[in-house]
Structure formats: C-alpha cells, structure tokens
Amino acid sequence: NAGVTQTPKFQVLKTGQSMTLQCAQDMNHNSMYWYRQDPGMGLRLIYYSASEGTTDKGEVPNGYNVSRLNKREFSLRLESAAPSQTSVYFCASSEAGWDYEQYFGPGTRLTVT
Amino acid sequence: QKEVEQNSGPLSVPEGAIASLNCTYSDRGSQSFFWYRQYSGKSPELIMSIYSNGDKEDGRFTAQLNKASQYVSLLIRDSQPSDSATYLCAVNSGGGADGLTFGKGTHLIIQP
C-alpha cells in the first residue's frame, strides 16, 4: 500500500497562475483533508471532505477550491496564486471523521513569486 | 478560537534518557488526542492516539491524558538520536471546521 500520495512534490508559480494539487489514498478511507503548514503557524486546515460527495471549508479556505473526485482522490485548486499561498501543502485521510487517526501524504512545497 | 499549546523548545535530552513532551488545550469538550512526529522537510507521522484518561503505551512511547487538567503528554523512553524531530500534538474538539487543531510543535534533540 502506498498510503497517501501527492503530486507534484515541488512547484513554482508566478502570481496569478493557477494549478491543481492532486491527492490519492489507497486505504479505503472515507474522509480526506487539505492542510497548509507555514513556519510559526503550525498546520492549518484548508478544506476537508467527510465522505465522497461532500466538501466543507476549514480554517483558511480563501483562494482555494477542492474537488472530491471519487473515494480515493481529493484535489486542491489555486485559481489565481498569490505570494501568501507560498507554503507546504499536506493531504491527509482518515477512516471516517475527526475521531479517527489521520495519515498524511508527503507534501507539496509550493512557491509563488 | 480553540488552542493547543506546546513549548516550542528545543528540548535537549541525553541519549537513553526519558523525553517528556507536554501539550495543553483550551476546549474542555475535546474528545480525541493525537501525537505526530515530523522530521525536517517531511510530513507528519502518527505516533499515538489516546481517547480516555490515563496512560497508553506503545513500545517506547507512552501517551498520558488528563482531561480535568486539559493536559496530554508524550513520554519517550530510552531516547535515541533517531527520535530527534518536531512532535506535534493534535486535538479533536468535536468536528466541523475546528475539527482537529494542531499545536505548533516541540523540537526535540537527543544528544548522543
């Protein structure tokens, strides 16, 4: 089992460009999450999907959109990248909901210039 | 705003000693608690989860939870240099957008 996979590993964008971060899990988990991690700020939730077909905003959703494509895949889209979105992005999944352990992907390091 | 507080460190512990990492949380209704280890440049890796008051042991790791004091800790016995990492405490306060709140982490250094 690969667990949670993310692509790409690294990305550099210019301000205003768009991109989609991909995430997939092979653990048959129902819930998936997108976090960003910034120095001194800790991990912050961007969006989550409690189950296939549902998505909800987290703590810092502005500037992002998500799609839960199927049970395995959950993508994060930046429509018009800004330097404030320079961060490390992690996808995670759990069996079902907040009481369950979350497992993280390897992350995407994004720089917006 | 629900808060999870950790001493940022660095916490320096000699090899073979017990490392003690602490975490306090603000929401008395919190229900589940997690410890993650994160090496520099890597993703968080789950170490322990704990849901009830008391101790939970897994190998060299022991998680301790005291809901009355709103306090959760992680003990690492026989510390090894490979335990040097940042340890993140995460608290579930009942779902929704606030669902899982992470502390900023404690940087642990095990000195050979």
Side-chain angles (χ1 to χ4, degrees):
Chain A
N1 285 355
V4 180
T5 57
Q6 292 182 237
T7 56
K9 286 187 170 53
F10 301 93
Q11 184 71 49
V12 179
L13 291 178
K14 293 189 189 314
T15 296
Q17 288 184 319
S18 63
M19 78 161 295
T20 299
L21 282 65
Q22 305 286 355
C23 174
Q25 52 90 11
D26 64 2
M27 295 177 282
N28 201 35
H29 284 170
N30 289 299
S31 302
M32 298 184 73
Y33 314 85
W34 277 105
Y35 292 91
R36 59 178 289 174
Q37 187 174 37
D38 303 290
M41 297 295 292
L43 279 158
R44 293 181 293 169
L45 182 68
I46 305 171
Y47 271 94
Y48 68 102
S49 172
S51 60
E52 187 178 355
T54 69
T55 60
D56 284 287
K57 295 179 180 178
E59 180 185 355
V60 289
N62 290 345
Y64 305 95
N65 285 299
V66 291
S67 296
R68 182 75 183 266
L69 304 169
N70 48 55
K71 190 172 185 178
R72 290 187 63 247
E73 298 173 287
F74 188 38
S75 63
L76 178 72
R77 183 160 178 83
L78 287 69
E79 291 291 353
S80 179
S84 61
Q85 294 178 305
T86 292
S87 188
V88 181
Y89 292 86
F90 291 106
C91 177
S93 71
S94 70
E95 187 175 331
W98 299 107
D99 274 340
Y100 290 83
E101 298 160 343
Q102 293 187 17
Y103 297 89
F104 283 77
T108 294
R109 188 172 296 272
L110 175 67
T111 302
V112 183
T113 62
Chain B
Q1 180 73 19
K2 292 163 185 169
E3 296 181 346
V4 176
E5 301 287 342
Q6 296 181 254
N7 188 323
S8 62
L11 173 65
S12 186
V13 173
E15 183 176 357
I18 295 174
S20 178
L21 304 161
N22 303 316
C23 173
T24 59
Y25 57 95
S26 64
D27 184 7
R28 189 169 287 278
S30 298
Q31 299 168 9
S32 45
F33 307 84
F34 308 91
W35 282 100
Y36 287 84
R37 176 176 63 197
Q38 187 173 25
Y39 293 114
S40 180
K42 301 295 186 182
S43 60
E45 174 191 6
L46 181 72
I47 299 175
M48 298 277 288
S49 58
I50 186 166
Y51 301 93
S52 303
N53 278 331
D55 295 359
K56 179 182 178 182
E57 187 174 319
D58 184 359
R60 295 187 297 113
F61 299 97
T62 299
Q64 299 175 317
L65 175 60
N66 184 325
K67 289 186 179 179
S69 300
Q70 295 174 238
Y71 176 95
V72 58
S73 64
L74 180 71
L75 302 178
I76 307 174
R77 288 182 300 282
D78 189 24
S79 296
Q80 302 297 311
S82 59
D83 295 325
S84 297
T86 296
Y87 289 79
L88 306 175
C89 173
V91 176
N92 170 23
S93 298
D98 295 332
L100 196 61
T101 304
F102 283 82
K104 295 179 182 176
T106 297
H107 183 204
L108 175 66
I109 299 171
I110 306 300
Q111 293 185 325

